Amino acid sequence: MTQPALTLYDYQKKWLADSSRFKVGMFARQTGKTFTTTLEIVLDCLDAEAQADAPAG
């Protein structure tokens, strides 16, 4: 069985799934907010790159 590259908590998954332009979150210390927001930026960049490479349709 293949393991996922990253294991995220449910609240991190919900944060990533929310594509709102502006978000307000209340995070406690040491809960992964920097990791989660950085992952969101990386995923957004990868998505933008994939859309730029897609053939016009």
Side-chain angles (χ1 to χ4, degrees):
M1 182 173 197
T2 304
Q3 295 293 328
L6 299 172
T7 302
L8 300 173
Y9 293 107
D10 287 339
Y11 68 88
Q12 291 172 310
K13 292 176 188 176
K14 288 178 186 176
W15 184 268
L16 289 172
D18 183 353
S19 61
S20 300
R21 182 173 177 193
F22 299 103
K23 296 189 231 183
V24 175
M26 181 180 280
F27 286 84
R29 293 181 55 139
Q30 303 292 320
T31 59
K33 78 178 158 267
T34 302
F35 179 83
T36 307
T37 54
T38 304
L39 177 59
E40 182 177 26
I41 292 167
V42 170
L43 294 175
D44 286 347
C45 290
L46 291 172
D47 186 44
E49 185 70 22
Q51 289 180 8
D53 290 342

